[in-house]
Amino acid sequence: ALDAYPEGIGSLRNIAECEEVLGRYASARRSWWELRRAVLVHPEPKYDGWDEHAEQAYERLAPRVARLLVTVTGPQAGAARVVVDGDPLSPELMRVELERDAGIHQIEAFVGATSVGAERVRLEEGTRRVVTLQVSARGESSAPPSAARAQRGGAPSMTSITGWVFLGTSGVAV
């Protein structure tokens, strides 16, 4: 509705309310703030008080929003490009606390086209997380060997093979 009729900002208010009810507090805050700006641009009598309501909602949600701070360290840190949930992170936003909806988020660093570090984090309502990706001089991640092997799709360990064999044998026995 908002795309079809951008001047009808009641749709924007509905979006903000729905995002809030769904627990998508960072998205709701962005929508409430967008509504506040839209009301200031469209000062029609039917929107009287909406700017204050939107600002109050924006402030009310602040403690419920999950926050994420991403840093890259190591000799190749300056050459690294960071992607959060598939979207490039502007270099200006490195070391800036980002508001995110609760849930699982994927953070990955690239040097050129090569992935040099990745971390998957779960953000909970109102929490703050700092993710530091370490990039070595050769552009390799300093992730533990098991994580690096998993990223490369390497062979499973003998322990995991033994576990699967035991699980399969137990299933047949049952």
Side-chain angles (χ1 to χ4, degrees):
L2 187 60
D3 287 342
Y5 184 60
E7 293 79 28
I9 60 177
S11 297
L12 187 52
R13 182 178 179 155
N14 293 343
I15 291 168
E17 289 173 347
C18 288
E19 288 170 333
E20 187 172 345
V21 168
L22 292 171
R24 299 186 61 208
Y25 302 119
S27 296
R29 267 176 60 94
R30 281 189 295 276
S31 295
W32 283 119
W33 200 251
E34 190 177 336
L35 174 64
R36 182 184 175 280
R37 285 192 324 236
V39 170
L40 295 174
V41 172
H42 303 287
E44 297 180 32
K46 65 182 177 181
Y47 300 133
D48 284 347
W50 282 30
D51 56 335
E52 290 98 9
H53 178 71
E55 192 165 345
Q56 289 168 357
Y58 178 85
E59 293 301 326
R60 179 183 71 243
L61 294 175
R64 301 186 83 176
V65 172
R67 290 175 170 75
L68 175 67
L69 183 113
V70 179
T71 61
V72 178
T73 61
Q76 291 289 322
R81 177 178 52 88
V82 176
V83 175
V84 178
D85 297 329
D87 295 323
L89 182 64
S90 171
E92 292 80 22
L93 294 178
M94 294 296 293
R95 297 190 172 120
V96 172
E97 204 170 64
L98 307 171
E99 292 188 353
R100 293 285 185 223
D101 290 321
I104 296 173
H105 298 274
Q106 178 74 22
I107 300 98
E108 194 165 9
F110 294 88
V111 172
T114 305
S115 175
V116 293
E119 189 167 337
R120 208 171 150 99
V121 296
R122 174 180 290 280
L123 296 177
E124 302 293 334
E125 177 183 322
T127 61
R128 287 182 159 77
R129 278 294 294 269
V130 176
V131 172
T132 301
L133 298 175
Q134 179 76 17
V135 180
S136 72
R138 293 180 312 212
E140 296 172 352
S141 172
S142 65
S146 59
R149 183 174 50 250
Q151 285 177 348
R152 290 190 313 267
S157 69
M158 192 58 165
T159 305
S160 68
I161 292 171
T162 305
W164 282 109
V165 168
F166 178 75
L167 182 63
T169 307
S170 299
V172 170
V174 169

